[in-house]
Amino acid sequence: MGKLLAANCFSMTRSKRFWLALFMMAATGVYMAADISKMKKVADFQGELDSGLFQSAILLFILLPALGALFINTDYHDGTIRNKLTVGHTRLAVYLSNLLMNCAAGVLYLAAYEIVYLLVGFPLLGGLSRPQEFLIKLGMLLLVLLSLTAIFTLLATLITNRSVLLYCALLGMGLVLAAQIVNARLAAPEMVDDYGGVSYTTNEDGTVTTQYLDKNGDPIQPEDIPRVPNPSYVKEPMRGFLRTVNNIQPGGQLVEILEDGHREPDGATAQTPYWQLAAYALAMSLAFTGGGIVLFRRKDLK
């Protein structure tokens, strides 16, 4: 295993794509710190160092699967995986070494952003106001990245076509978008106001008067507007199912971390316990790693 990891590390560090991605993450850290500092000059915007700590995670959800899949796919097309097996390495060791290499790349990408962001951000934005929360979220994000890595490593190992890097990049982006869509659907209120429209009247002094209209177009007072069931409201048991799916999949976990929870139909913000998200992330990592090992052992390497 040690020799495989050393070979993977040598191959990864000689890749221009690896260094390009590392540069992109570091450059994103500089841009984010400078952008928050610039926005602080805008009225009513309270910019602080904490607000940009994990904003690179969505970019990482696209870069890491694409480059990790490309790394494994290149091994297939160069015949490296067959050579590793020919000299006596087991399929288990080959699979785990690729998984660990992709995990290490993810940690390096995240570290590049965080270190550069903090170095540039400290002089511009001041220190961290919630350092303990930063460490907890950082630990959670590493577990989420482990889960994501387990998923795309399985796909990249089983699909030898060059298009796998596109599939994996779309997977990372799709998981995040799907989580946001589900959160928006679950935030829809159970009851909504039922009125025909709104009219705006400009007064002589320049002020604007807003008037609600009923279904017949007649004026109606806001307190008299009837409330009706919202057709977009998601009921049980589908509601609980979608929330569980979001908590299990890496994109949903990422959104939960970045947005400090999710919005409920009543407008309140609820947060899934981090211990629960951590358990789901570890379970997903083990399940996909175990499945990948079993399927790779049966794969015909032509």
Side-chain angles (χ1 to χ4, degrees):
M1 177 70 80
K3 292 182 179 180
L4 287 173
L5 288 173
N8 284 349
C9 182
F10 178 77
S11 176
M12 182 74 79
T13 54
R14 286 176 59 86
S15 170
K16 294 180 180 179
R17 300 182 186 91
F18 169 78
W19 293 108
L20 177 61
L22 201 65
F23 173 78
M24 288 178 63
M25 294 299 294
T28 302
V30 175
Y31 169 79
M32 188 59 62
D35 188 55
I36 295 175
S37 176
K38 180 180 179 181
M39 291 178 65
K40 282 185 67 175
K41 300 176 183 179
V42 179
D44 299 327
F45 179 78
Q46 301 297 325
E48 58 180 15
L49 189 65
D50 302 62
S51 59
L53 284 170
F54 301 105
Q55 296 306 310
S56 67
I58 295 179
L59 173 62
L60 189 55
F61 251 58
I62 301 173
L63 279 180
L64 183 58
L67 294 176
L70 181 61
F71 171 74
I72 295 175
N73 188 261
T74 300
D75 271 6
Y76 270 121
H77 284 268
D78 292 347
T80 306
I81 288 184
R82 278 188 302 230
N83 292 338
K84 290 176 180 178
L85 297 175
T86 301
V87 298
H89 295 294
T90 65
R91 294 198 179 205
L92 172 63
V94 171
Y95 188 93
L96 291 180
S97 64
N98 287 339
L99 175 66
L100 292 175
M101 191 67 244
N102 285 330
C103 288
V107 172
L108 287 175
Y109 292 152
L110 182 60
Y113 173 83
E114 297 297 343
I115 292 173
V116 171
Y117 174 76
L118 290 174
L119 287 176
V120 176
F122 271 130
L124 297 176
L125 306 171
L128 292 171
S129 60
R130 301 179 296 276
Q132 184 177 4
E133 181 180 328
F134 164 66
L135 294 176
I136 293 174
K137 285 189 173 183
L138 181 62
M140 270 303 311
L141 185 55
L142 290 174
L143 290 177
V144 172
L145 289 178
L146 174 62
S147 177
L148 177 68
T149 303
I151 295 174
F152 76 72
T153 297
L154 181 149
L155 292 177
T157 302
L158 299 182
I159 303 174
T160 58
N161 192 284
R162 285 288 189 185
S163 59
V164 67
L165 67 97
L166 177 61
Y167 299 152
C168 290
L170 291 176
L171 169 71
M173 182 171 61
L175 290 174
V176 176
L177 289 177
Q180 293 174 329
I181 292 172
V182 169
N183 277 348
R185 286 296 306 276
L186 295 181
E190 187 173 3
M191 304 292 290
V192 293
D193 293 335
D194 184 32
Y195 56 91
V198 180
S199 66
Y200 300 95
T201 304
T202 302
N203 303 318
E204 295 181 357
D205 58 0
T207 60
V208 178
T209 301
T210 302
Q211 177 66 64
Y212 290 93
L213 307 175
D214 61 16
K215 295 294 185 179
N216 298 321
D218 298 324
I220 186 175
Q221 296 301 316
E223 60 271 14
D224 296 329
I225 297 176
R227 293 180 63 80
V228 297
N230 183 4
S232 299
Y233 178 75
V234 181
K235 300 179 180 179
E236 296 291 356
M238 181 57 69
R239 183 175 196 82
F241 172 76
L242 291 177
R243 176 55 60 205
T244 301
V245 169
N246 245 16
N247 290 339
I248 290 176
Q249 65 107 337
Q253 296 167 358
L254 177 65
V255 172
E256 191 80 10
I257 294 170
L258 294 182
E259 298 184 0
D260 292 318
H262 53 272
R263 191 162 53 89
E264 293 290 345
D266 60 0
T269 300
Q271 190 170 37
T272 304
Y274 278 176
W275 66 265
Q276 186 176 342
L277 296 179
Y280 282 140
L282 288 173
M284 286 283 286
S285 302
L286 292 174
F288 276 90
T289 299
I293 291 171
V294 171
L295 294 173
F296 182 52
R297 280 176 170 171
R298 300 177 180 178
K299 184 175 177 59
D300 181 19
L301 300 179
K302 298 179 181 180

